[in-house]
């Protein structure tokens, strides 16, 4: 059927199928800013367009219904101001403000938010913050906590009102800025690019909605993959008949377990050897959770592929499932992994459903307990939660002209994908190329090599390109999640608050497969229990025990989720400490600071644990925790609120009580002696530089940060660095984006490469200076403002040096490669504060403020770093109050969409503020430590502590839902 | 592939729609505005897009107002102009969905967890649809399995005030318990309760104590995966009290 769609004031005649959604047709016309994969059922708003000026979800209408209406997309807004000789109108102010504010993280929902704001501006150019939040309420963002987008919209309105044009920075003096609060406690040399909030290198393309994400690539003859999920939690496939599905017109391939080689593997994207059991197959004759794969289909359209799934006849023999982790190791429990190919790692034992086991004893815990005046014991529970990145997992595979398999995939670990997919697909590593385009959020879930094999097998079977994009429901039932745990704490305390011994036992649920089983749960103890050593003599010999059993159940596999096990540790630990301090009548902050790690002390776990490898004792050099506490207290008004009855009560509303809480936390920075990143840098004719890195920017801004590091060393601007990241053919190896390692590891590699290039530039500069009879040592030459400068002030442009090296004399490509693996893992520290309002009659808790003061060393880019903190805190907020994945006795999930799995919207966020306390970490590039994961650690326990402060309800199971609070209050 | 020939029509009036319906009872797929899952079922060869049939209009009378089934939830919010309804609507949906989802398609999938539905039940509108042109009470309409039917209009009696109370895990989370009370022009108070998937009959309230009894009856077995009956029963009483207090506090035309 031919229709005319009017988009951005232009008529587009287009042939559509009757059932095609507006979203599908717009994307076919090239309007890719309407994102295709967020949910496609009206929940996320990533597919927003304006229809007759109103923001709507384009997945909720057939294309036919849009005939005769005016459609607007961001492609109709501004574009880059300089397009060669062509004059353009430049970016619109809204777009520009989204860029400058750091509102663009992964960028998947950015066009939607810009359009929503644009519609608001049609109504008012003097919006209140509440109106802005209302306008953005239809667009879910998992990266930003909406802090910067709201600021950007308000500021854009202000600029439009004041007649200030985009990029007109001279007139902006009186307009609010975006910089976070920074407190420096260890000042070092002046830098030009470090510490500067440079705009993200990829932001301009993302505010224009350009082709960037995996699903934006279409290829001739491309097929669409779908996977048939298991309806049972534990079953044997007795028979499977795909003949009807194969016969369906448009279906090119159906694969079942009978069609594929059995290659046992893990999907955990980690370095070789994988520190966990090998326990899964692309397709198996046994299914182990509701959502496990049964068959895969490739067809000419997603609709036909979906229809084909319904034609596959499967006969199952149901087996008893294990849903509750406490049942996994009981006598007579069904065995989930009885396959003969199972490969053990360390202490895994499938005969008792044990995926991994940890036993860490540091010094003498029993002696510590014996020396205590009081012992506190309690069990805590933390839930399974989903990363809920708005772009789902998506992979496109195809054979290139040399019969190499290209895997274009939304991954955090492209090099691990290449290595790990090679045996699964039956190809040597050299015949696989992995390309990581823009990623629409990952948060650890894309550290999993989860779906690349599906598209890969189907391309091998059909010879054709195959796109596999998971649905939102598949993300819930068949991707990965945070490990749920039951954690028992036992702590010995002297009457003066000195901790004498601390013990944690974690029963951790890895679900049906053992991905990240050992390493996630190891972190649970290492980075939470490791923060507290006790005081006095106990500082030298802290008594710590951490034991864990990580068990299989018939629920979807757990995996990596930002924070990587550490949030599971801080909920029990910090809630336990709160209980202790209130029991012994000690100030909660004083107790924590009294017993926490200090500079010059060993991270106690470094002497006993290293993710299944040889331990590497490490002395911690920089600890800004005390200052973080000081800054956080000030920002939240701790001294005025804590213990102040007046503040806790609401006049005229006796059923409401306010509370304030704190949690202090520590993360890690990369995995020592393991995480490695490489960088390659070369000069161009105009003294711009190509920087090739294997590091994976998943929206965090790491490409920009790495460019800033190179620019600082080379004395150029950040936008003189052209970053190419994460293509296994063209960039050096990097483990990928996890363990908060990119700035620290890949950044150091970039710095080393840049220093080598700088040295080569300076040597050539010296020749120029000598020709001008300026003699100086190479090491005295400084690179700045795109020039080499001699001590006497004589200078030469880098462009001349570039041309000299490439064309004029003694030609050479000035370039260098470097890589870095660290012997250290210097932890970032933070103090997280929360205030809440509790309804004593209903148990409803409303979080009002979340303030996090963070020591991440020197901050390379304050705006992007604060965006990481804000977004992380918002995820942790959900972990604290609303997010959990629940299963019934048959393993059927309660949450399969973003309505039931509620992530916070713009119009319900508390105040979130990030403060940076800058220490100088000698081992990091320009003093930097990690940023991205620590915000996940403290918000939930701080909220739990604030609830306790408000009403006395001591909630042991996370999240703090209304019913739990109500029950606790009733009990009291 | 053999594509079935499909006709796409945009009738200009309800009468025209009815004529098409009479002529092709089995073959028609109605497009009644935005929906969460726009799908085309097998065997439907005539697509009747209702957007030009005059089903999105608003008519205000002394007795109340009538709004077309193709009006969006945002249109309905504007028409009701009630802070209580806005609170419920904005809890359930962000602005985009409110701008996209039609009343007809909303009602086709609504259940007792929806705060919007609880408000509508308390307002006691009459729903007119293609299948029920003479109108049904909202609850009867919902129990009539309305999938495939199209709401042509909803007639709301004039009301004095609507108050909504709900408890969720976050301010905009679907509520675990919700109670809505409306004061009608004759002074009667009508209460609707929700939080579970069931759609309960709203009740007229004579005295608060009766309301508590009614609420207890509704929630006594209201256990599900989201909350226990014990919790709901207790909290619903609190919410009822608050909803009634709010009704008392200010006047709302």
């Amino acid at each position: 059927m031919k229709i005319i769609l009017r988009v951005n004031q232009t008529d587009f005649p287009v042939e559509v199928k009757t059932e095609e959604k507006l979203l599908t047709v717009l994307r076919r016309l090239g309007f890719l800013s309407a994102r295709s994969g967020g949910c496609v059922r009206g929940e996320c708003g990533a597919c927003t367009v304006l229809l007759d000026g109103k923001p709507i979800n384009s997945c909720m209408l057939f294309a036919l219904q849009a005939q005769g209406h005016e459609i607007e997309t961001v492609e109709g807004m501004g574009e880059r101001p300089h397009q060669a000789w062509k004059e353009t109108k430049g970016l619109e102010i809204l777009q520009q403000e989204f860029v400058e504010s750091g509102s663009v993280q992964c960028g998947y929902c950015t066009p939607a938010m810009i359009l929503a704001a644009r519609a608001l501006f049609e109504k008012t150019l003097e919006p209140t913050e509440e109106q802005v939040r209302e306008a953005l309420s239809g667009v879910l963002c998992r990266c930003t906590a909406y802090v910067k987008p709201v600021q950007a919209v308000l500021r854009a309105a202000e600029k439009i009102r004041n007649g200030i044009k985009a990029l007109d920075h001279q007139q902006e003096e009186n307009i609010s800025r975006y910089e976070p609060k920074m407190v420096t406690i260890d000042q070092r040399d002046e830098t030009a690019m470090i510490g500067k909030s440079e705009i993200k290198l990829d932001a301009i393309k993302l505010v224009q909605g350009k082709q960037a994400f995996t699903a934006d690539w279409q290829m001739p003859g491309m097929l669409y993959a779908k996977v048939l999920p298991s309806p049972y939690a534990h079953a044997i496939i007795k028979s499977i008949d795909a003949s009807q599905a194969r016969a369906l017109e448009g279906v090119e391939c159906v694969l079942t377990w009978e069609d594929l080689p059995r290659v046992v593997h893990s999907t955990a994207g980690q370095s070789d050897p994988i520190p966990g059991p090998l326990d899964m197959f692309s397709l198996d004759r046994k299914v182990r959770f509701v959502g496990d794969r049964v068959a895969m289909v490739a067809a000419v359209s997603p609709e036909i592929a979906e229809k084909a799934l319904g034609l596959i006849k499967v006969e199952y023999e149901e087996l008893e499932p294990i849903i509750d982790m406490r049942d996994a190791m009981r006598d007579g429990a069904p065995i989930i992994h009885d396959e003969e190919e199972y490969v053990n790692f360390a202490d895994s034992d499938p005969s008792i459903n044990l995926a991994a086991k940890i036993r860490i004893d540091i010094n003498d815990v029993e002696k510590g307990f014996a020396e205590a005046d009081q012992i506190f014991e309690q069990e805590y529970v933390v839930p399974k939660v989903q990363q809920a990145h708005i772009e789902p997992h998506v992979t496109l595979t195809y054979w290139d002209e040399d019969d190499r398999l290209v895997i274009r995939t939304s991954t955090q670990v492209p090099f691990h994908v290449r290595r790990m997919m090679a045996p699964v697909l039956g190809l040597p590593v050299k015949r696989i190329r992995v390309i990581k385009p823009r990623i629409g959020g990952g948060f650890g879930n894309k550290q999993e090599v989860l779906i690349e094999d599906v598209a890969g097998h189907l391309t091998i079977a059909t010879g054709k390109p195959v796109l596999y994009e998971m649905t939102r429901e598949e993300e819930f039932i068949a991707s990965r999640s945070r490990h749920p745990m039951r954690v028992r704490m036992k702590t010995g305390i002297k009457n003066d608050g000195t901790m004498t011994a601390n013990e944690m036992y974690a029963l951790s649920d890895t679900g049906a497969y053992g991905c990240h089983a050992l390493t996630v749960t190891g972190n649970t103890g290492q980075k939470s229990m490791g923060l507290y050593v006790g005081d006095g003599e106990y500082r030298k010999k802290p008594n710590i025990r951490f034991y864990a059993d990580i068990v299989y159940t018939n629920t979807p596999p757990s995996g990596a989720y930002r924070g990587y096990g550490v949030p599971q540790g801080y909920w029990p630990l910090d809630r336990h400490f709160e209980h202790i301090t209130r029991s012994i009548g000690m100030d909660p902050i004083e107790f924590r600071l009294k017993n926490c790690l200090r500079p010059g002390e060993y991270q106690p776990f470094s002497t006993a644990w290293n993710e299944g490898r040889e331990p590497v004792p490490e002395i911690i050099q920089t600890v800004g925790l005390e200052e973080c506490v000081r800054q956080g207290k000030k920002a939240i008004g701790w001294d005025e609120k804590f213990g102040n009855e007046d503040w806790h009560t609401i006049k005229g509303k006796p059923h409401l009580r306010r509370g304030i809480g704190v949690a202090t936390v520590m993360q890690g920075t990369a995995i020592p002696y393991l995480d490695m990143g490489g960088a390659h840098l070369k000069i161009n004719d105009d003294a711009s530089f190509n920087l090739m890195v294997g590091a994976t920017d998943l929206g965090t801004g790491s490409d920009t940060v790495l460019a800033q590091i190179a620019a600082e060393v080379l004395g150029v601007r950040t936008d003189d660095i052209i970053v190419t990241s994460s293509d296994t053919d063209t960039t050096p190896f990097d483990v990928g984006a996890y363990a908060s390692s990119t700035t620290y590891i890949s950044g150091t590699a970039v710095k080393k490469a840049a220093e080598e290039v700088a040295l080569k530039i300076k040597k050539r500069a010296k020749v120029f200076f000598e020709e001008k009879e300026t003699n100086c040592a190479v090491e005295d030459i400084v690179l700045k403002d795109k020039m080499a400068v001699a001590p006497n002030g004589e200078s030469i442009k880098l462009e001349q040096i570039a041309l000299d090296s490439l064309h004029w004399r003694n030609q050479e490509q000035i370039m260098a490669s470097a890589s870095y693996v660290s012997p250290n893992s210097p932890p970032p520290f933070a103090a997280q504060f929360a205030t809440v309002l509790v309804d004593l009659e209903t148990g409803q808790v409303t979080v009002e403020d979340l303030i996090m003061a963070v020591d991440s060393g020197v901050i390379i880019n304050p705006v992007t770093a604060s965006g990481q903190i804000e977004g992380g805190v918002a995820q942790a907020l959900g972990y604290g109050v609303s997010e959990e994945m629940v299963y019934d006795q048959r393993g059927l999930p309660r949450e399969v969409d973003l309505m039931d799995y509620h992530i916070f919207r713009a119009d319900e966020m508390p105040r979130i503020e990030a403060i940076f306390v800058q220490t100088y970490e000698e081992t990091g590039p320009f003093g930097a430590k990690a940023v991205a994961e620590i915000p996940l650690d403290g918000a939930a326990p701080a909220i739990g502590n604030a609830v306790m402060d408000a009403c006395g309800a001591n909630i042991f199971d996370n999240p703090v839902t209304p019913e739990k609070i109500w029950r606790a209050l009733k009990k009291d | 592939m053999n594509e079935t020939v499909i006709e796409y029509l945009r009738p200009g009036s309800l009468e025209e729609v009815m004529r098409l319906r009479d002529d092709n009872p089995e073959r028609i797929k109605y497009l009644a505005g935005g929906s969460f899952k726009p799908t085309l079922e097998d065997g439907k060869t005539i697509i009747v897009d209702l957007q030009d049939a005059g089903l999105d209009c608003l008519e205000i009378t002394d007795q109340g107002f009538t709004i077309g089934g193709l009006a969006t939830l945002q249109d309905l919010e504007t028409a009701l102009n009630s802070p209580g309804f806005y609170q419920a609507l904005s809890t359930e949906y962000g602005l985009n969905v409110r701008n996209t989802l039609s009343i007809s398609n909303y009602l086709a999938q609504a259940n007792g967890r929806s705060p919007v539905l609880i408000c509508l039940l308390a307002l006691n509108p009459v729903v007119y649809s293609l299948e029920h042109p003479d109108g049904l009470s909202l609850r009867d309409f919902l129990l009539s399995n309305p999938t495939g039917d199209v709401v042509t209009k909803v007639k709301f009696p004039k009301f004095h005030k609507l108050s909504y109370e709900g408890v969720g895990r976050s301010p905009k989370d679907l509520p675990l318990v919700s109670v809505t009370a409306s004061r009608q022009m004759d002074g009667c108070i009508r209460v609707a309760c929700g939080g579970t998937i069931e759609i309960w009959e709203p009740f007229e309230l004579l005295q608060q104590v009766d309301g508590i009894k009614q609420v207890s009856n509704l929630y006594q077995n209201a256990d599900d995966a989201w909350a226990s009956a014990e919790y709901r029963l207790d909290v619903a009483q609190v919410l009822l009290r608050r909803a009634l207090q709010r009704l008392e506090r200010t006047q709302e035309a």
Side-chain angles (χ1 to χ4, degrees), chain A residues 42 48 60 64-65 67 69 134 137 249 655 839 841-842 844 882 894 900 905 908 963 966-967, chain B residues 1 10 35 51 86 90 95-99 113 168-170 172 225 228 230-231 234 241-242:
Chain A
T48 299
M60 291 178 68
L64 293 169
Q65 293 172 283
Q67 276 192 102
H69 297 276
E134 159 95 356
S137 66
E249 197 166 358
H655 63 285
D839 186 324
E841 292 180 321
T842 67
Q844 179 149 37
S882 61
R894 188 179 72 173
D900 285 338
R905 292 189 341 215
E908 59 175 331
E963 183 165 349
W966 175 84
R967 284 193 182 283
Chain B
M1 283 182 71
R10 276 193 189 182
S35 79
Q51 63 176 288
Y86 172 76
S90 67
L95 185 59
N96 289 18
V97 171
R98 281 141 51 188
N99 281 334
R113 291 182 65 203
R169 298 168 299 178
S170 79
K172 302 293 182 184
S228 69
E230 186 191 3
Y231 172 73
D234 185 78
R241 190 190 73 227
R242 291 183 189 172

Side-chain angles (χ1 to χ4, degrees), chain A residues 344-359:
Chain A
N344 274 302
F345 182 83
D347 295 321
S348 65
D349 182 353
S351 70
I352 52 169
N353 294 317
L354 186 69
K357 186 168 110 175
I358 297 168
R359 298 288 183 266

